Amino acid sequence: MDTPLGLGERGSAIWQAMATTDIPRNALVLEAARTADRLDELDNIIQGKGVLNLMQFRLDFPSGDDEPYIVEVKFAAPLAEARQQATALAGILSKLAPADTKAAPQAAPSNLPSNVSPLQRLMQQQKA
């Protein structure tokens, strides 16, 4: 099955590993892939590698001469967004997992440390 346009490296790996001929399932797989890519982008931003407008400015001009200027500054919260995206991804992946795999956790491949995330394991399996 062809990988949808616009997916990054991790999103493409998820798509290739989980896509089937079931259209409703593929809608969830695509959202999981996009969410994983968003998490990668947010991680780059948190590490200082990405580009994001972290501050927004708004200036309200006074309507009269005796009124003050009002400056509003807002800061983006990439850490909070990353947590929300991670929760969304976990929810989507749990809906995609077959019922029998929920009961018995999969053993980590011997070449990966125990603290590797499920998505990193999936990417490792794709490389093998």
Side-chain angles (χ1 to χ4, degrees):
M1 180 164 293
D2 291 336
T3 302
L5 296 176
L7 291 180
E9 184 178 338
R10 191 159 63 147
S12 294
I14 289 172
W15 177 263
Q16 291 300 321
M18 302 182 83
T20 66
T21 57
D22 182 5
I23 293 172
R25 175 185 168 81
N26 285 351
L28 284 175
V29 172
L30 181 58
E31 286 310 308
R34 288 176 177 160
T35 304
D37 286 341
R38 277 188 220 109
L39 280 167
D40 287 344
E41 290 175 25
L42 286 167
D43 188 52
N44 284 336
I45 291 164
I46 291 165
Q47 293 179 30
K49 300 176 192 172
V51 176
L52 176 71
N53 293 327
L54 294 175
M55 294 184 355
Q56 296 175 344
F57 295 93
R58 183 175 152 211
L59 177 62
D60 285 335
F61 292 98
S63 57
D65 291 336
D66 57 342
E67 292 183 21
Y69 286 90
I70 298 173
V71 178
E72 183 178 327
V73 180
K74 292 183 179 182
F75 294 92
L79 285 172
E81 181 62 25
R83 279 193 301 271
Q84 290 174 350
Q85 290 293 317
T87 301
L89 180 59
I92 293 169
L93 291 176
S94 70
K95 288 179 174 146
L96 290 169
D100 57 353
T101 60
K102 290 181 184 178
Q106 295 179 353
S110 59
N111 61 343
L112 296 175
S114 62
N115 64 345
V116 173
S117 74
L119 286 174
Q120 289 169 324
R121 288 182 206 285
L122 178 65
M123 289 176 60
Q124 184 65 28
Q125 289 173 357
Q126 289 298 309
K127 291 178 184 177

